[in-house]
Structure formats: structure tokens, C-alpha cells
Amino acid sequence: MTTTFRTATEADTALILQFIRALADYEHVLDQVVATEDLLREFLFRQQRAEVVFALENGAEVGFALYFYNFPAFLGRPGLYIEDLFVKPEFRGHGYGKALLQKLAQTAVERGCGRLEWNCMNWNRPSIEFYRSMGARPLNDRTYYRIDGETLTNLAAQLR
């Protein structure tokens, strides 16, 4: 199998949303998806806040990764952060996830990034085992925190 890739364009907005919904469904959080085609179009393509790459089999999209840059200050250069990586269930176990990670690693190296990072749900044993098989190691010395929704709005409003 030779995996090919292509970078998403604005014409792929509906397809990107389909992949996001499929991932959310797999993670049992479909009810949390508030993304719309208009939002994706604005922030992915007009403001270029993130990028998407597709893995292809015979020209058809079988997986995707959505990523953006972070800036690890201690490294003094950008890192590449994978927000979402998803392979359609019927194509799992055929090397597409590995190929996507390899493609993102190649992108990170070519663009001078110092590291490649992502997170994974603690219950997702198949993915955790897959990531470990690729040489990834969990960061046990930190916990991710999140502020969103009304809490985010309220926190922002407190600065006067």
C-alpha cells in the first residue's frame, strides 16, 4: 500500500466537518460538536489558524489530521500540535494512521519544528498502544486544563 496525501482546500470544508463529526462520534462526544462549515471556512482558510491533510487510498480520503503550531518557549522554535487525527474505521489497521503521523513528522521537520504533540483520551487503549508503538511517550508530569464556553466568556469579562 502506498499512501498518498493532499492538503485540504476551502472546497473540502464539508468533508472536513464530516471527519470531525466521525471522530466525535467515535469518542462519544458528538453532542459537543458546534463547528459549522462557515466557522471552519473562516478559521481554517481565511484566517489560516490550522491546516488539514488527508490520507488517500486510490484517490479517496480515508483519514485526516488537523494541526496547528504552538510555540514551546524553552525550545525557542515552533512545535506542531495535532488537534485531530482520524482514520475511518473500515480502513484502520492498514497503515494510514502511521502514514499520517509520518507525514506530520516530515512536515514538522521540514518547517523547523522542535516537536510533534497531541493528546489522547485515557480510555482509548487501541490508540494509546498504537502511539506507543510509534515511539511516542505520554507526558505524566502534567495535566491538560481547559476553559471554554460560558466560563471562558466570564473570565474574559473580568478584565476591566
Side-chain angles (χ1 to χ4, degrees):
M1 172 209 73
T2 302
T3 305
T4 56
F5 304 94
R6 75 173 183 82
T7 301
T9 66
E10 190 169 340
D12 294 310
T13 303
L15 180 60
I16 294 166
L17 186 54
Q18 288 174 12
F19 270 99
I20 290 168
R21 289 180 185 276
L23 172 61
D25 187 46
Y26 173 74
E27 291 184 345
H28 312 291
V29 293
L30 186 56
D31 62 317
Q32 295 179 27
V33 176
V34 296
T36 64
E37 288 183 36
D38 287 340
L39 284 170
L40 294 174
R41 196 173 292 107
E42 175 65 26
F43 290 104
L44 290 177
F45 301 107
R46 295 195 180 115
Q47 293 192 30
Q48 299 180 340
R49 300 288 181 104
E51 298 178 55
V52 173
V53 64
F54 293 108
L56 309 172
E57 177 181 88
N58 299 320
E61 296 82 2
V62 299
F64 96 125
L66 187 150
Y67 61 96
F68 56 88
Y69 296 99
N70 57 13
F71 196 87
F74 292 178
L75 292 180
R77 59 186 177 154
L80 199 142
Y81 187 84
I82 306 169
E83 179 65 27
D84 293 324
L85 189 147
F86 182 75
V87 174
K88 293 178 178 178
E90 62 270 28
F91 294 99
R92 292 184 189 149
H94 299 283
Y96 295 109
K98 181 177 182 178
L100 276 165
L101 278 176
Q102 290 169 329
K103 177 66 173 171
L104 294 172
Q106 180 184 59
T107 299
V109 169
E110 288 173 352
R111 295 180 184 182
C113 296
R115 63 186 177 202
L116 180 62
E117 295 181 302
W118 62 93
N119 69 58
C120 181
M121 303 290 242
N122 290 332
W123 60 261
N124 193 346
R125 296 306 312 162
S127 292
I128 291 168
E129 290 171 18
F130 165 68
Y131 296 140
R132 285 179 176 258
S133 77
M134 299 287 296
R137 59 182 178 19
L139 299 176
N140 296 322
D141 61 339
R142 55 190 74 216
T143 300
Y144 284 93
Y145 290 88
R146 176 178 296 158
I147 295 176
D148 59 6
E150 189 176 326
T151 306
L152 177 63
T153 303
N154 290 341
L155 182 61
Q158 292 173 17
L159 183 63
R160 301 270 182 224

